[in-house]
Amino acid sequence: MAYSLGDGLRPGCLADASDEAQFAELDTLGELGRRARAAGVQTIIEGPGHVPFDQIEANMKRQQAVCDGAPFYVLGPVVTDVFPGHDHITSAMGALAAAYHGASFLCYVTPAEHLGLPTPQDVKAGCITYKIAAHAADVARKLPGARDWDDAMADARGSLDWKRQFELAFDGDAARTIRHRDLKEEGDYCSMCGRQWCAVRISREVTEKIVAQQEGGRSSPST
Ligand code: SF4
């Protein structure tokens, strides 16, 4: 078993962040964590929910020092208070910073935060937004294998392999729906630049021509 040590004095708005009450409670959580570990029980420590972006790194470092590196989970944090209806995004920005600076667990937030109970669609939006933050942090922290997924997508984009892009996409249905919204047929471009200006298509064609010329030059008899 493990204790999850929650925080009741966590900031509920940017103005509360990093105040005396929050840090006094963090000291108590650190002490409770030490007592639990001394009794052979693991702990996870809960962290703040509203913190300006520039204070997140210091909050994470303070927790790691006060709680002897115990796993820390954060509720976002929300980095601005003025976008209700979009707090899955305001909080995922903070979650990315927190994860990059050492958070072990991200508690997702939905668009309904501060407003009402979430619908299944709100839950889906929150989970996907937090998956983005978590994966981006894994890549930035250079966790083994985290970048492989992105590199595979880059290869699929470079070869205009749409089927492979949809397979690799975390939400392949959403990607496929948008691609086919304006473009009904399969093609070596998308509707963003159009076929004439598709830089990926043009680069591929130029590369193929250069390679063909080089191979032709190598195979022709020297005079
Ligand atoms: S049309 Fe533009 S956005 Fe679309 S694949 Fe080509 S370069 Fe990329």
Side-chain angles (χ1 to χ4, degrees):
M1 64 173 281
Y3 285 144
S4 173
L5 300 177
D7 55 339
L9 299 178
R10 64 174 176 266
C13 64
L14 298 190
D16 290 343
S18 311
D19 67 2
E20 201 177 333
Q22 178 195 330
F23 288 146
E25 183 179 51
L26 183 62
D27 291 343
T28 302
L29 293 173
E31 171 59 23
L32 290 172
R34 278 186 288 280
R35 286 171 59 183
R37 279 196 298 280
V41 181
Q42 300 177 88
T43 59
I44 181 168
I45 311 283
E46 186 180 20
H50 293 242
V51 180
F53 194 87
D54 61 299
Q55 296 179 22
I56 292 173
E57 180 179 0
N59 266 264
M60 296 307 305
K61 288 187 170 153
R62 187 166 182 145
Q63 182 275 338
Q64 284 154 5
V66 169
C67 300
D68 304 318
F72 198 42
Y73 78 94
V74 283
L75 313 165
V78 168
V79 293
T80 167
D81 291 332
V82 294
F83 291 85
H86 304 280
D87 277 331
H88 58 314
I89 298 171
T90 60
S91 62
M93 290 176 175
L96 171 57
Y100 179 64
H101 291 295
S104 306
F105 182 94
L106 303 178
C107 181
Y108 86 109
V109 171
T110 78
E113 185 76 10
H114 306 114
L115 301 169
L117 279 175
T119 64
Q121 288 72 28
D122 293 334
V123 170
K124 180 179 178 185
C127 287
I128 290 177
T129 310
Y130 269 64
K131 183 67 181 174
I132 296 168
H135 178 65
D138 287 349
V139 170
R141 286 167 67 172
K142 299 183 172 49
L143 298 194
R147 253 279 299 277
D148 295 352
W149 188 7
D150 301 75
D151 293 344
M153 180 64 89
D155 287 343
R157 284 194 175 130
S159 57
L160 291 166
D161 184 342
W162 297 99
K163 183 167 175 288
R164 182 71 180 138
Q165 290 178 54
F166 300 144
E167 286 169 0
L168 287 165
F170 181 76
D171 188 356
D173 289 344
R176 192 178 295 103
T177 299
I178 291 172
R179 164 143 176 91
H180 292 141
R181 196 169 52 198
D182 302 321
L183 206 67
K184 304 301 175 207
E185 79 284 4
E186 287 302 330
D188 53 358
Y189 66 104
C190 76
S191 60
M192 179 165 251
C193 317
R195 187 169 196 283
Q196 187 179 1
W197 300 106
C198 176
V200 178
R201 177 189 67 77
I202 294 168
S203 295
R204 280 188 68 203
E205 289 180 2
V206 168
T207 304
E208 284 166 8
K209 275 183 191 156
I210 291 171
V211 170
Q213 281 171 358
Q214 288 172 340
E215 288 177 347
R218 271 201 297 273
S219 60
S220 52
S222 55
T223 54

